[in-house]
Amino acid sequence: MKKIKLTIDGMEITADADANILDAAMENGIYIPHLCHHPDLKPVGACRMCEVEVGGRNVMSCLTPVADGLEVKTDTPAIRAARQMNAELLIANHHQECLSCGSSHHCELLRVADSVGVNGDRLMHLTPRAELLPIDTSNPFFKYDPNKCIACGICVRTCDEIVGLGVLSFIERGNRTVVGTFADKPFIESICESCGECVVRCPVGSLAPKRTIRPSHEVQTTCVYCGVGCGIYLGVKGDRVVSVRADGERPSNQGSLCVKGRFGYNFINHPDRLTTPLIKKDGEFVEATWDEALDLVAEKLAPYKGRQFAALASAKCTNEDNYLIQKFARAVMQTNTVDHCARL
Ligand code: FES
């Protein structure tokens, strides 16, 4: 990729020749406030928070391509005033309960308000949204609170550009504009596949997972559900898996996941899960030791080696378990008839 040089606030930076000013700035560690821009999506210039000055004119940095020798100013009085006003209008129309919002630790609106400064007096005189809109909790994995929606359109574009389903669009007009499904139906009645791609990109927690336990650390691994090999980070707290995050560096999924990979991890620590072997005696399952169970299985399987035996592995086992079952089928049971439930 051809590189070009430009200056931002007097500092010379190098950028890809096809970048826009916002991406070039962020790439070089310069923060320009923004709300509707996401690196995975085409820029649309909807929030107007990213204004900068180029050649004496205010332009939106997410829509303006870089050019050799370009001089960009990100912090003039006119830009500060415009950004502050934009932020105040958005905050006035946003829900007022930041402290109880599960997304406040990664809310882009808070970050933007922090960086541009907000005039509290002026904010008091702006009219907040009149009525509270109902929160849609119909989806089993995430909820949608339209009162927090800032109409950045990131979820709409994610569903269009990345998922290719087009479940979401803008509904209503003016300061009543929010995102909704076709005919404003609950998510569960729409064609949404619950992949959660919109949820992980929502900058303000309007779309948010129902389970929100913050992990103490993450473990990089591969999703077991099918053969695509999506990279994931399992979030762990104590001895429990409490979250899943897509690995943006894995070529097979590039930061995306399906509903199973993203939300289908409750079974790991589910209280109904069997943790002790059971053996049927007189028509009843009774608890047994692992030695008893393994001896019984070995004795029963031994007569069925070769063509009489097939192994069906499970997506709810670890990758290591799945490796072992195919090894067991081939090396011990002498068959290549091995399959996995993900292909059903
Ligand atoms: Fe440029 Fe929203 S980030 S207009």
Side-chain angles (χ1 to χ4, degrees), residues 137-183:
T137 56
S138 64
N139 185 285
F141 310 110
F142 60 84
K143 56 191 173 182
Y144 169 50
D145 183 350
N147 304 294
K148 295 181 186 171
C149 177
I150 55 167
C152 64
I154 287 179
C155 56
V156 177
R157 284 177 285 139
T158 297
C159 202
D160 267 353
E161 294 174 25
I162 295 178
V163 186
L165 272 182
V167 172
L168 300 169
S169 62
F170 290 113
I171 53 173
E172 300 288 359
R173 288 292 177 265
N175 70 347
R176 297 171 66 92
T177 305
V178 286
V179 163
T181 62
F182 178 71

Side-chain angles (χ1 to χ4, degrees), residues 22 33-37 44-51 60-63:
L22 178 58
H34 58 279
L35 285 169
C36 69
H37 186 61
V44 287
C47 72
R48 304 190 69 88
M49 289 305 310
C50 69
E51 279 189 22
M60 271 168 293
S61 59
C62 66
L63 292 178

Side-chain angles (χ1 to χ4, degrees), residues 26-37:
M26 304 294 281
E27 191 76 2
N28 285 272
I30 301 168
Y31 177 64
I32 297 176
H34 58 279
L35 285 169
C36 69
H37 186 61

Side-chain angles (χ1 to χ4, degrees), residues 16 21 53 57 69 75 107 109 124 165 180 208 214 235 247 277 294 299 304:
D16 287 343
I21 295 174
E53 188 190 297
R57 278 195 324 127
D75 196 26
C107 176
L109 186 56
M124 298 244 304
L165 272 182
R214 290 183 74 184
D247 182 349
L294 289 172
E299 182 194 322
Y304 301 106

